[in-house]
Amino acid sequence: MCLSSLLFFMSFNMLLPELPDYLTRLGGEDYKGFIIALFTLTAGISRPFSGKLADTVGRIPVMVFGSLVCFICGFFYPFAVTVTAFLGLRLLHGFSTGFKPTGTAAFIADIIPLERRGEAMGLLGVAGSVGMAAGPMLGSWLAQRFSLNTLFYCSSGLALLSLVVQGTMTETLPKTQRQPFSWKLLRLESWEEVFEPRVLAPAVVTLLCLFPFGAVLTVVPDQSRFLGLVGENKGLFYTCYTGASLVIRLVAGRASDKYGRVPVLIGSSAIMVASLGLLALAQSAPVFLAGAILLGLGTGLNSPTLYAWTVDLSHPERRGRAVATMYIALEMGIGLGALLAGWVFANKPSHLPYVHLFSVFSVLAGLVYLLIWRRKTAA
């Protein structure tokens, strides 16, 4: 599962450093915020369906569909030669992350005991972090040494390898719960099929703490260029960010199993606030990359803990939908962050600090929510 996730995350993350410049060359420099926002829009919309299908058809079919979308979309980027076609393809590409991670998290929750859930989610996060670190670095290298089309086809190839790995796995959804796929399963008959109320708390924290991720993904390519990180160094921010995230997940993967989910989330949120402050103040590449490292440490603690907390609160028979609810909040946070960042930035370097300050306020709101939650549950 970790190998499949590594390949999947590499597949679509390797595109990120090059897409803003590519869109600019197509004449769409004013739409940079939509690169992430449209991707997350369809990912968020598809979550209720992927969650329901994971609980009825199976975890593996949901993962296979997500990887298949990634594989197909990679081949079509070279043909998206207008702004409309490019943005339409980003919209379709989002279905990949709407399905694959939902099935993955449910699969992991099925096979890991409660007392090691945080550790397992941390290890899964390590695989994702390696993919996120290696992907942008490899993508920039391929684009510089070969061509953008080579980059797109390699992205598609990695998604295909992820599909091959999934073919070696055994379905974990009990046979008594499985149903053959039918179009009726895509009909949502109640609000509870969209939102799992048991996991409201982790969903709120996910939305507020993932808002900065969408903002950062939107402005980092331009901020990197303004600070002199060009060519093969364009993906250096992502490498520092995901490298730090990887290290902390290896070292502190069991932290939430030992100390509790909420205390770890409080600490990770404080680290994220400090990192975003550095990004807002960055006038040089070293300060900028220091912010990337701190952000990686904060999110490296934050993400697996949110996964584990979501699974803790979910009912076993609605685990797919609970995970999907958390992911809907994730996509909303990332999408809103990307849209606001694109609007605030407006291709003006002097506006970059304001983008990161909006992210600081979002994480602070999440931190306050966690403190209120802790006091409420303690009482």
Side-chain angles (χ1 to χ4, degrees), residues 100-150:
K100 172 71 168 70
T102 301
T104 297
F107 185 99
I108 293 292
D110 290 341
I111 63 175
I112 299 296
L114 171 63
E115 65 274 10
R116 301 192 69 185
R117 190 168 285 158
E119 180 184 6
M121 294 301 180
L123 288 172
L124 183 65
V126 167
S129 293
V130 172
M132 291 175 68
M137 187 167 57
L138 177 60
S140 292
W141 181 82
L142 286 169
Q144 292 291 322
R145 295 295 178 90
F146 299 98
S147 67
L148 274 174
N149 286 354
T150 301

Side-chain angles (χ1 to χ4, degrees), residues 212-234:
F213 193 66
V216 165
L217 287 178
T218 299
V219 301
V220 152
D222 286 304
Q223 192 169 2
S224 296
R225 188 173 65 254
F226 297 145
L227 295 174
L229 298 173
V230 295
E232 292 178 18
N233 290 324
K234 192 186 293 184

Side-chain angles (χ1 to χ4, degrees), residues 362-378:
S362 180
V363 179
L364 281 174
L367 184 55
V368 170
Y369 182 89
L370 286 165
L371 292 170
I372 293 172
W373 169 272
R374 184 171 66 172
R375 177 178 291 183
K376 189 176 176 182
T377 53

Side-chain angles (χ1 to χ4, degrees), residues 271-286:
I271 295 171
M272 289 177 69
V273 168
S275 70
L276 292 164
L278 277 181
L279 293 180
L281 297 171
Q283 296 295 318
S284 65

Side-chain angles (χ1 to χ4, degrees), residues 5 45 60 100 123 136-137 252 260 311 314 357 365:
S5 291
I45 290 173
I60 292 177
K100 172 71 168 70
L123 288 172
M137 187 167 57
V311 175
S314 66
L357 287 175

